[in-house]
Amino acid sequence: MNVSRRQFWGMLAVGLVGQGTRQQPAPAPLPGAGPTGTLADPDRVGRPLEPITARDNDSGIQAIEKRLQCTCGCGLDIYTCRTTDFSCSFSPQYHKQILSLAASGMTGDEIIAEFVKEHGESILMAPPKRGFALFGYFGPWVAFALAATGMVLLLRRRSRRGGASLAAAGERPVRPAPTAEELALVERELSRFES
Amino acid sequence: MSVLGSLALWIAFFTGIWGAVTGFAGGANGRTDLQQSSRRAVFALCLTLLVAVFSLEWLLFAHDFNVEYVASHISSNLPIFYTWSALYSGQEGSLLFWATVLSIFGSLALVLTAPRHRVYLPYVSAVVCVVAVFFVTVMLFAANPFARLPYTPIDGRGMNPQLQNPGMVFHPPMLYLGYISITIPFAFAVAALLSKRLDVDWLVAIRKWTILSWLFLSIGICLGMWWAYVELGWGGYWAWDPVENASFLPWLVMTAFLHSVMIQEKRGMLKKWNLGLIFGAWVLSIFGTFLTRSGVIQSVHSFTQSPVGAYFAWFLFVAIGLLTVLYLTRLPLLKAEATLESLVSREASFLFNNLMLVGIACTVLVLTVYPLLSEWITGQKIVMKPPAFDFVNVPLGLALLALTGIGPLIAWRRASIPNLKRQFAAPVTAGVALGLIVLLLGMRQVWPVITITLAGFVLGTVVQEFARGVRARHRQYGEMYPLAFFHLMARNRRRYGGYVVHTGIVLLFVAFSGMAFKVETEASLKPGQSVTLASPYGWTYTFKHLGISQYDALNRQVTAGTVVVSRNGKTIGTMVPEKRQHVDSFGRPTFEPSTAVAIRSDLREDLYVVLGGVVGGSETAVYRFTINPLVWWVWYGGMIVALGGVIVMWPGGTVGSNRVATGYAAKLGATE
C-alpha cells in the first residue's frame, strides 16, 4: 500500500486524537441470536463448556484447587485458570480429577498429596516449608533481623563517638545576640530546609 | 523506508560511539572542543533515532507486511490507535523506543541542566551515549526492527488481543519512561565520581530527574495493575510475576534513594550509600529488561526467547564490574561530613526506612530468581509463587507502613522523650481507635486488622503534620485556613508533597487488604435464570442472565452476555461481559478467543463478571462472578501517589523561603 506523507500524518493524527472522540456505530446483531436458544455462530465463543453443578462450586473443592498450580504455564492456580482461561485444556481436566478423588472419599490433603505424587512438588502453589525452600520463606526475615541489629549496634557506636568528640571540643560561650554572620547562616539553613 | 530506518540505526551506532569517546576524553582532559563534540553527538543521536522511529511508524501505518516486525504485530484491520502503540508492543520496537527516549532525555538533560552543574555534562553525555549504543547494538545484531521477510504475507498476524486495551497503550511507555529516565541520575552519579566532585551539587542537579523517574515508574506500575485487572480476567491486579517484580525493584530502590538523599543534603551523611542506591536502581532497570527478554524466568509477560538475553547479560556484567572499580577507587572521597548523634532521630529512622525498602527489594529479587538459585545450588528447581511472596512480603510491607508513620514524627539529630510523647500521642490514638472499630465490626483476619490500624496511625501522622503547619501559618500570617494550607504546600513542596504520597501509599495498603475478603462463584444460567452471591458487607447480589447476543465490531467477532444486577432485590444496573474472537482483514481467526470482563465499581467493592462460554452452542452461559472489595482505592491511591509526586516536582518555592528567611532574620534582629 502506497501512502503519501499527508496521508501518513493524517492517519497518525486520527490515531492519536480522533479515536477517542469518534462515536462507534451500534453493532448489528447476527440473525438467529435471539431467544431461540441457539447461537448463530457458536464457534466464535470458544470451546463448548459443561453446565456448572453445585459440586463445582463447593468451597472445599475451590480451596483445594487454589493450592494447586495449573501446568499450562499461566502461573495461576487451577481454579483461577479454569475460570479465566477458557482455552486451557489442563485445568478443566484437573478439576474433574479433583472432583473424582473427592467423590471417592479422599480428604483435601490426600488429594493434594496425590497431585504431588503425579506431578512433583512444582504443582503446589506454595512450595512446602522444608529444605532449600526454607531459605526463601524465612531467610529474608532472618536477614532483616540481623541487618537491623547490626545497624543498631553500629549506629549506637557511631553516635557515642560523635557525642564524645562534641564534648571534647568544649562548651561554646552563649552569645546574647546573633551576628550578621549567624543570621546569614540561618538564612542559608532555612533555604535548604524549605527545599 | 526500512532502508532509511536501518541506515538511521547505523548512523546512531557510530554517532553514539563518537559521543561516548569524546565525552569521556573531553571530561578527563578538560578539552572543551571534545566536550562540545560529545554534546552535539547526543543531539545527533537523538535525531537519527527519531528518524528510525518515524520509519518504523511509517511502515506500520503503511502495513508493509514484508517487514517482519510489521507482519508479526499488526493486521490491516487493526484500529489505528493500536497501530501507533505497535511501536513498543514487540521486542524490536521496544528496544528502539528505549534508545530513542533515552537520547531525548539525554538531550533534555544537556539543555536544561543549570550552568553551575555543567561541569558534569561531558561525562553525562558519554554515559548516555554508551547506554544508547548498547541498545542500538542489540537492534543491529540481534533484534532488528527493519528486518525483511523473504516473502510478503497478505496480512499481518495482528496484535495480541490482550494488548488491544487503552491501558496497554499507556502502561508500557510510562514504565519505559521510568526505566529509561533512571539513566540520567545514574549518568550524573558516574560523572560525579569521574570528576571527583562529590559534594551535594550533583544531587541537586538530579533532583527533578530522580523524582520524574520515580513518578513515571509509579504511574507505569499502577497502569499495569489496572490493565491486568480489567483485561486478564483473573480478578486480581498483582501476581508477583517476574516482569511485574522487575518494575517494582527499581521503584523500591528509587524510593529509598529519595529518602536517604535528604540526609546527604542536610547532614552530608550517607554519600557511599546514595551512590550505591543510584547504581543499584540503574542496574535493576537493565536487569528487569534482561528478565523480560531473555526467557531465563518464565513469565506471561516475556517476549519470545531470543539471543538478546546474552547481550544484556554481558552488558550488565561489564557495567557492574566497571562501576564497582570506579566506586571503590573513589571511596576515600566519600567520607561523611557529620555523624549520627542519636539512634532516636529522623536520620536513624530514614536509615531503617532504607533498610526496609532495600531489604524488600532484595527479597523480591531473590524470590524472583529462586528457580535459578535453587537449581544451581540443589539441582532442583523451586518456583516461589504468589502465596510464598505474600507470606514473606506482607509482614515486611506492614513494617514499612509503620515506618512511614514513625519517620516524620521524630526530630532531626536527636528526639527527646517528651517530644516523642507529644508527637506520637494523636497518631497512635487514631490507629488504635481505628483498629478497635474494625474489630468491633467483626473483622477477624489478622493482616487486614493490622493494616487498618497502621493506616490510621500513618494518616494520623499526616493530618497532624498538616494541621500543625496550617495552624502555625494562620497564627503567624493571619491567613485563613484554606489559604494557609495552600501556602504551606507551596512553600515546602518536597515535604508536604511527600506526605501526600504517604497518604496514597496508605490507601493502597488498605485497598490491598480488601482482597482478603474476595468472594466468587461460577454458574451456568439459561436466559431468565439467576444466581446470588453474598457481599462481605452483608448484602446480597443477584445476577440474572438475560441472553446472549453476537455481532461483529472493528476487528473482532463478539459474543456478549447480558446480566442484570440487583442488590438486596433492587436493580442497580446491567453488565455485559464478552468473548471476543479477533480476526484479520480476511475474517480469519487470529489468536484464541479472549474474554472482556464486565466490571461495576463503586467505592466499597467491584462486581466482576467473566463470560466463560456457552453450553452446547445454546444461550446457556457459563459465568464467573466475583466480588472484589476496595479495588477502587487501588486506583485512587495510585492517583494520589502520582499527585504527590507532581507536587514534589513542581518548580518554585523560592519566594516563600525568602520571606521566611527574612521573617526569621527580622525576629532575631528584634532580640538585640
Side-chain angles (χ1 to χ4, degrees):
Chain A
M1 175 184 161
N2 284 322
V3 174
S4 70
R5 263 194 290 269
R6 186 173 288 187
Q7 281 173 317
F8 172 77
W9 288 115
M11 282 195 286
L12 192 61
V14 163
L16 289 173
V17 176
Q19 193 73 13
T21 56
R22 200 187 306 149
Q23 294 275 347
Q24 296 295 343
L30 294 176
T36 61
T38 308
L39 297 182
D41 185 3
D43 290 339
R44 64 168 65 180
V45 197
R47 195 178 62 218
L49 302 179
E50 290 173 17
I52 304 297
T53 65
R55 283 184 73 220
D56 292 318
N57 260 325
D58 181 72
S59 58
I61 298 291
Q62 256 193 41
I64 295 168
E65 289 183 340
K66 286 186 175 177
R67 289 171 61 186
L68 297 168
Q69 187 185 22
C70 185
T71 53
C72 68
C74 63
L76 298 169
D77 59 80
I78 290 173
Y79 176 81
T80 308
C81 177
R82 70 176 181 82
T83 57
T84 303
D85 181 3
F86 299 95
S87 61
C88 177
S89 53
F90 292 93
S91 47
Q93 285 301 113
Y94 293 144
H95 173 66
K96 283 191 181 133
Q97 187 179 354
I98 290 170
L99 287 176
S100 155
L101 291 173
S104 73
M106 284 174 106
T107 63
D109 287 340
E110 286 167 350
I111 293 172
I112 303 270
E114 186 62 31
F115 269 77
V116 171
K117 203 165 84 175
E118 199 176 316
H119 300 277
E121 284 183 347
S122 60
I123 194 98
L124 295 170
M125 281 299 287
K129 293 184 182 70
R130 62 169 180 266
F132 192 68
L134 280 175
F135 172 71
Y137 280 114
F138 299 105
W141 296 349
V142 171
F144 264 106
L146 289 173
T149 308
M151 190 182 274
V152 166
L153 293 172
L154 183 67
L155 294 178
R156 208 177 257 174
R157 198 171 64 194
R158 285 199 179 169
S159 64
R160 276 196 208 118
R161 214 186 299 154
S165 49
L166 276 175
E171 285 187 40
R172 291 175 182 246
V174 175
R175 301 181 74 101
T179 62
E181 219 176 84
E182 283 164 354
L183 282 174
L185 174 67
V186 167
E187 260 191 70
R188 228 178 14 253
E189 287 296 314
L190 278 172
S191 67
R192 285 172 64 190
F193 174 77
E194 292 309 309
S195 59
Chain B
M1 260 310 166
S2 64
V3 172
L4 177 64
S6 293
L7 188 63
L9 285 182
W10 278 107
I11 294 173
F13 178 69
F14 289 111
T15 308
I17 291 175
W18 176 257
V21 169
T22 51
F24 283 123
N29 298 313
R31 291 265 306 267
T32 49
D33 55 337
L34 293 178
Q35 293 172 15
Q36 267 292 80
S37 184
S38 178
R39 183 185 171 91
R40 288 189 194 118
V42 173
F43 297 140
L45 181 68
C46 180
L47 194 60
T48 48
L49 288 171
L50 282 170
V51 168
V53 167
F54 174 82
S55 305
L56 186 57
E57 284 290 11
W58 182 288
L59 292 166
L60 286 166
F61 278 95
H63 297 156
D64 186 344
F65 296 119
N66 184 241
V67 175
E68 188 176 359
Y69 187 80
V70 178
S72 303
H73 293 95
I74 68 166
S75 55
S76 299
N77 60 347
L78 185 70
I80 284 173
F81 199 56
Y82 297 121
T83 305
W84 153 257
S85 69
L87 169 70
Y88 42 79
S89 67
Q91 169 97 280
E92 297 85 351
S94 63
L95 290 170
L96 176 58
F97 183 82
W98 186 298
T100 309
V101 174
L102 174 60
S103 66
I104 294 172
F105 281 158
S107 304
L108 287 172
L110 295 179
V111 167
L112 298 174
T113 297
R116 69 179 181 279
H117 299 135
R118 293 255 158 102
V119 65
Y120 300 111
L121 292 183
Y123 293 118
V124 169
S125 62
V127 170
V128 166
C129 285
V130 165
V131 180
V133 161
F134 165 71
F135 280 91
V136 173
T137 305
V138 175
M139 281 189 277
L140 286 172
F141 299 104
N144 194 331
F146 301 106
R148 286 204 172 263
L149 291 166
Y151 61 95
T152 303
I154 51 172
D155 200 355
R157 195 166 157 258
M159 184 179 276
N160 187 317
Q162 290 176 342
L163 302 184
Q164 294 183 44
N165 171 280
M168 278 311 285
V169 176
F170 298 105
H171 154 64
M174 279 293 149
L175 265 187
Y176 284 137
L177 289 173
Y179 284 141
I180 299 163
S181 53
I182 294 174
T183 305
I184 305 299
F186 166 74
F188 272 92
V190 171
L193 282 175
L194 286 172
S195 63
K196 299 184 186 175
R197 289 169 193 269
L198 291 158
D199 52 15
V200 87
D201 250 1
W202 72 275
L203 290 175
V204 177
I206 64 164
R207 189 182 287 164
K208 292 276 189 288
W209 284 106
T210 314
I211 297 169
L212 189 72
S213 164
W214 178 89
L215 187 62
F216 281 139
L217 275 177
S218 304
I219 294 171
I221 290 170
C222 287
L223 281 174
M225 289 162 71
W226 179 79
W227 168 77
Y229 183 68
V230 303
E231 188 60 40
L232 296 184
W234 61 280
Y237 39 75
W238 188 265
W240 296 109
D241 182 85
V243 173
E244 293 172 345
N245 298 342
S247 65
F248 192 42
L249 290 171
W251 184 88
L252 285 166
V253 176
M254 292 295 276
T255 307
F257 177 77
L258 285 173
H259 287 85
S260 65
V261 76
M262 283 191 257
I263 301 180
Q264 184 170 346
E265 286 176 4
K266 289 192 189 325
R267 305 291 317 282
M269 296 160 62
L270 299 183
K271 292 182 181 181
K272 300 181 188 85
W273 178 251
N274 284 329
L275 275 166
L277 284 179
I278 276 291
F279 288 167
W282 180 80
V283 165
L284 285 169
S285 72
I286 302 293
F287 180 73
T289 313
F290 163 69
L291 267 189
T292 327
R293 295 163 195 275
S294 63
V296 291
I297 305 282
Q298 201 180 28
S299 163
V300 292
H301 288 81
S302 290
F303 291 105
T304 316
Q305 257 187 334
S306 76
V308 303
Y311 285 80
F312 277 88
W314 275 108
F315 182 62
L316 273 173
F317 180 71
V318 171
I320 291 170
L322 290 173
L323 289 173
T324 306
V325 168
L326 181 61
Y327 183 82
L328 291 174
T329 53
R330 298 294 193 262
L331 271 181
L333 302 173
L334 296 169
K335 283 194 171 31
E337 291 164 24
T339 52
L340 191 77
E341 291 173 41
S342 167
L343 254 181
V344 187
S345 62
R346 193 169 295 189
E347 293 91 320
S349 76
F350 273 29
L351 282 173
F352 283 106
N353 152 286
N354 265 234
L355 173 68
M356 293 304 307
L357 285 162
V358 172
I360 292 173
C362 292
T363 302
V364 172
L365 179 63
V366 166
L367 294 181
T368 302
V369 301
Y370 215 78
L372 299 173
L373 201 63
S374 57
E375 196 170 30
W376 179 54
I377 292 175
T378 68
Q380 192 197 1
K381 197 181 264 196
I382 301 173
V383 182
M384 290 297 192
K385 294 158 218 155
F389 275 89
D390 289 342
F391 178 83
V392 179
N393 284 322
V394 165
L396 297 177
L398 291 176
L400 183 63
L401 182 64
L403 274 176
T404 309
I406 292 171
L409 296 175
I410 304 182
W412 289 99
R413 299 179 75 158
R414 185 189 299 272
S416 62
I417 301 290
N419 174 263
L420 286 173
K421 281 183 184 166
R422 201 170 49 243
Q423 290 284 85
F424 276 79
V428 166
T429 307
V432 168
L434 208 52
L436 285 173
I437 288 171
V438 296
L439 280 171
L440 285 171
L441 289 172
M443 191 184 289
R444 292 290 179 269
Q445 288 84 345
V446 171
W447 294 129
V449 170
I450 295 174
T451 304
I452 290 171
T453 306
L454 289 174
F457 167 66
V458 178
L459 284 177
T461 300
V462 172
V463 168
Q464 179 175 268
E465 289 294 303
F466 272 103
R468 284 187 177 162
V470 167
R471 255 201 318 265
R473 283 201 71 90
H474 173 73
R475 272 193 228 118
Q476 185 162 10
Y477 300 110
E479 290 170 346
M480 289 173 58
Y481 286 113
L483 192 64
F485 177 82
F486 174 75
H487 283 158
L488 186 73
M489 295 272 273
R491 195 192 73 163
N492 199 338
R493 290 175 177 88
R494 184 194 246 190
R495 180 174 175 180
Y496 293 97
Y499 290 148
V500 172
V501 171
H502 285 184
T503 305
I505 297 292
V506 167
L507 294 180
L508 283 168
F509 269 85
V510 171
F512 296 156
S513 69
M515 287 308 243
F517 302 94
K518 175 176 173 170
V519 289
E520 48 195 347
T521 191
E522 43 174 348
S524 51
L525 302 172
K526 293 187 177 128
Q529 285 186 327
S530 58
V531 69
T532 57
L533 189 59
S535 161
Y537 290 96
W539 42 72
T540 303
Y541 288 98
T542 305
F543 301 92
K544 185 175 177 183
H545 169 55
L546 292 190
I548 298 282
S549 57
Q550 292 189 304
Y551 54 88
D552 296 339
L554 294 174
N555 61 337
R556 55 187 185 258
Q557 298 164 342
V558 180
T559 304
T562 305
V563 176
V564 171
V565 185
S566 312
R567 181 166 58 219
N568 285 350
K570 186 177 165 210
T571 303
I572 57 172
T574 307
M575 298 176 72
V576 185
E578 296 175 359
K579 287 288 294 249
R580 293 176 176 178
Q581 173 62 67
H582 283 79
V583 294
D584 62 15
S585 54
F586 293 92
R588 298 176 302 190
T590 57
F591 304 96
E592 293 281 350
S594 59
T595 54
V597 180
I599 303 175
R600 192 178 189 283
S601 296
D602 65 31
L603 293 180
R604 292 163 300 192
E605 60 201 351
D606 276 18
L607 303 180
Y608 193 94
V609 182
V610 174
L611 173 63
V614 297
V615 177
S618 70
E619 280 192 276
T620 303
V622 174
Y623 293 106
R624 192 188 82 225
F625 301 98
T626 308
I627 299 176
N628 288 321
L630 301 178
V631 172
W632 244 118
W633 293 97
V634 178
W635 322 131
Y636 279 153
M639 284 184 231
I640 291 172
V641 166
L643 174 67
V646 169
I647 292 170
V648 171
M649 263 191 62
W650 204 261
T654 51
V655 172
S657 63
N658 284 342
R659 197 192 307 141
V660 167
T662 311
Y664 268 99
K667 281 190 186 305
L668 283 169
T671 63
E672 291 191 42

